[in-house]
């Protein structure tokens, strides 16, 4: 079981999707059914085209931080629906620190779509080094994002935890429109 966690502010509806949600939905469409993925986000369940989508509503704990409240809701849900073998966190490295000892048998993957040096908890070289030691794997969408993560870090065995998987897209246009002159 793999749980994919969208950022708490990512739009994931049939009418409008954020860039991270678009990648997750496209990957989910082509995924092997044996992977058994579940996707978690804040959009209304009725507005999302995925059968395996779970809505995480913001709750009364939002005053502690939206990310903390969001992950708190996910943790409560895991007690009901079961704990995953892998948690894939998209673009929110700060979520990783909210999971505690309850998840000792769970592997964590951070999926980076943007420059990590602009993200909370990854801005400094020391923060990126510390996370790299603790997390099981990091996936970047380009070699540029990977180089941003590794910027200033010493290359060691932990550097092998970072892999680049380029985004794929569906070509839904068979015939391109003519340009107007």
């Amino acid at each position: 079981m793999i749980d994919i966690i969208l950022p708490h502010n990512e739009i994931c509806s049939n009418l409008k999707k954020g860039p991270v949600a678009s990648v997750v939905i496209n990957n989910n469409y082509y995924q092997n059914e044996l992977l058994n993925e579940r996707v978690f986000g804040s959009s209304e369940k009725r507005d999302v085209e995925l059968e395996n989508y779970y809505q995480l509503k913001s709750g009364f704990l939002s005053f502690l931080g939206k990310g903390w409240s969001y992950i708190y809701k996910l943790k409560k849900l895991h007690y009901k629906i079961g704990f995953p073998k892998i948690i894939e966190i998209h673009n929110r490295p700060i979520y990783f620190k909210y999971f505690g000892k309850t998840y000792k048998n769970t592997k964590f993957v951070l999926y980076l779509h943007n420059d990590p040096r602009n993200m909370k908890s990854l801005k400094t070289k020391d923060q990126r080094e510390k996370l790299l030691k603790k997390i099981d794997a990091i996936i970047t969408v380009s070699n540029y994002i990977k180089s941003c993560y590794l910027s200033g870090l010493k290359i060691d065995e932990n550097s092998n935890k970072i892999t680049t998987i380029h985004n794929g897209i569906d070509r839904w246009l068979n015939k391109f429109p003519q340009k107007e002159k």
Side-chain angles (χ1 to χ4, degrees), residues 14 41 48 72 77-78 92 95 101 104 112 122 144 150:
N14 294 338
V48 180
Y72 176 78
L77 191 56
H78 277 154
R92 292 294 183 273
Y95 291 175
K101 292 179 171 69
K104 66 180 178 228
L112 294 173
L122 288 184
Y144 171 73
L150 293 171

Side-chain angles (χ1 to χ4, degrees), residues 148-167:
C148 290
Y149 193 97
L150 293 171
S151 176
L153 273 61
K154 58 180 182 254
I155 305 300
D156 60 11
E157 68 277 353
N158 288 322
S159 304
N160 294 329
K161 292 181 179 181
I162 303 177
T163 299
T164 298
I165 300 176
H166 299 281
N167 288 335

Side-chain angles (χ1 to χ4, degrees), residues 14-178:
N14 294 338
L15 299 174
K16 187 176 180 185
K17 292 174 190 70
V20 175
S22 295
V23 169
V24 168
I25 288 171
N26 192 62
N27 290 350
N28 190 272
Y29 179 78
Y30 290 106
Q31 64 112 1
N32 181 336
E33 291 179 19
L34 297 175
L35 288 178
N36 202 10
E37 294 178 339
R38 301 182 295 202
V39 179
F40 298 85
S42 59
S43 295
E44 293 278 337
K45 169 71 175 149
R46 63 179 155 74
D47 296 337
V48 180
E49 61 194 49
L50 298 171
E51 289 178 31
N52 56 342
Y53 179 82
Y54 293 82
Q55 180 187 6
L56 299 172
K57 295 179 183 177
S58 58
F60 71 96
L61 294 172
S62 295
F63 67 90
L64 293 172
K66 287 183 179 162
W68 190 91
S69 174
Y70 189 66
I71 298 305
Y72 176 78
K73 291 284 188 180
L74 176 64
K75 289 164 76 173
K76 279 181 66 173
L77 191 56
H78 277 154
Y79 281 103
K80 290 181 186 173
I81 65 174
F83 290 86
K85 291 187 186 288
I86 300 171
I87 292 180
E88 183 179 289
I89 300 169
H90 282 259
N91 251 20
R92 292 294 183 273
I94 199 161
Y95 291 175
F96 177 68
K97 74 176 189 175
Y98 299 142
F99 291 96
K101 292 179 171 69
T102 314
Y103 291 85
K104 66 180 178 228
N105 296 323
T106 301
K107 300 285 186 194
F108 286 89
V109 177
L110 176 61
Y111 208 114
L112 294 173
H113 301 259
N114 301 93
D115 187 343
R117 298 170 299 184
N118 298 325
M119 296 179 182
K120 281 184 186 173
S121 77
L122 288 184
K123 291 184 181 199
T124 70
K125 174 180 86 81
D126 291 338
Q127 289 172 323
R128 293 192 307 277
E129 225 165 51
K130 186 176 177 182
L131 180 71
L132 192 54
K133 286 178 185 172
K134 290 183 176 183
I135 202 154
D136 296 291
I138 295 175
I139 298 171
T140 62
V141 298
S142 70
N143 289 329
Y144 171 73
I145 301 297
K146 181 178 179 177
S147 70
C148 290
Y149 193 97
L150 293 171
S151 176
L153 273 61
K154 58 180 182 254
I155 305 300
D156 60 11
E157 68 277 353
N158 288 322
S159 304
N160 294 329
K161 292 181 179 181
I162 303 177
T163 299
T164 298
I165 300 176
H166 299 281
N167 288 335
I169 58 165
D170 277 336
R171 288 223 156 190
W172 51 274
L173 287 177
N174 295 324
K175 190 176 181 182
F176 291 96
Q178 295 294 319

